[in-house]
Amino acid sequence: MNTTPEREVWDELITNSRRIRYRIKEFILRQGEPGNHVVIILDGQVKVQRVESNGECNVLAFRGSQEVLGRTAVLWRRRRFASVEALTSCQVACVPADVYCTAMARTALAAQAVAHAHERLLESMVVQGNGHPCTRLAFALARLAERSQGDARPDERAMLCFTRLDLSRHLGVGRNTLSELLKQLEPFGVATGRNSIKIRDLPALRAFASELEI
């Protein structure tokens, strides 16, 4: 199961939230908006993306169930750095900023939440870094698969729902290059569908990407 600093006050945050269901391609958070709430993904998968000043869309990350999003804008009282778009049907819990900040301050978890957000940012930097593209792809898929499993055994399969365009933008490679990289990962249990990727052997994939572990 995902472990985030918020787990200590999870029930309190959920109780004081408003639950909303989003359809595929609906925006859950929007870049540039004020940080007046955080969202907890109760089920589903999303992508985090940022549109740069030149109009280029950069896919920063993919997130799934039990992830907390939007905390940086809330804790630092800034506008949102990126948008969050639903990749599947998603149910989220919207927690007002004052409820979230009060709970985090009372339990002295705010610093841990910032550190956790920084760790997630570091992962994205590794994926988009200068390592071999095939290794970076394996690292990204392994981390996503681990989080999508919840309480499942590590040898069970995981299904990741995103397009090749999104994944190519995340890695900073062309779609043809991405297709070739995915083929190279087939011996490590990676199988692709039209808008999904199935991880059949997570331990093997994790071992292949081990040189990038952080």
Side-chain angles (χ1 to χ4, degrees), residues 92-106:
V92 308
C94 295
V95 184
D98 58 340
V99 172
Y100 178 79
C101 289
T102 297
M104 301 305 282
R106 189 186 69 252

Side-chain angles (χ1 to χ4, degrees), residues 27 31 47-62 81-85 121 124-125 127-129 136 165-173:
F27 282 94
Q31 178 179 332
K47 66 177 176 181
V48 183
Q49 60 185 17
R50 175 177 171 80
V51 177
E52 306 297 344
S53 58
N54 62 1
E56 181 179 351
C57 181
N58 185 15
V59 177
L60 304 177
F62 301 97
F81 177 77
S83 298
V84 176
E85 180 181 338
L121 176 61
S124 295
M125 292 173 64
V127 172
Q128 298 175 328
R136 291 191 286 118
L165 176 59
D166 286 337
L167 193 53
S168 66
R169 285 174 171 172
H170 187 39
L171 264 73
V173 301

Side-chain angles (χ1 to χ4, degrees), residues 22-23 27 32 47 80 154:
Y22 289 90
R23 298 188 299 270
F27 282 94
K47 66 177 176 181
R80 302 205 187 279

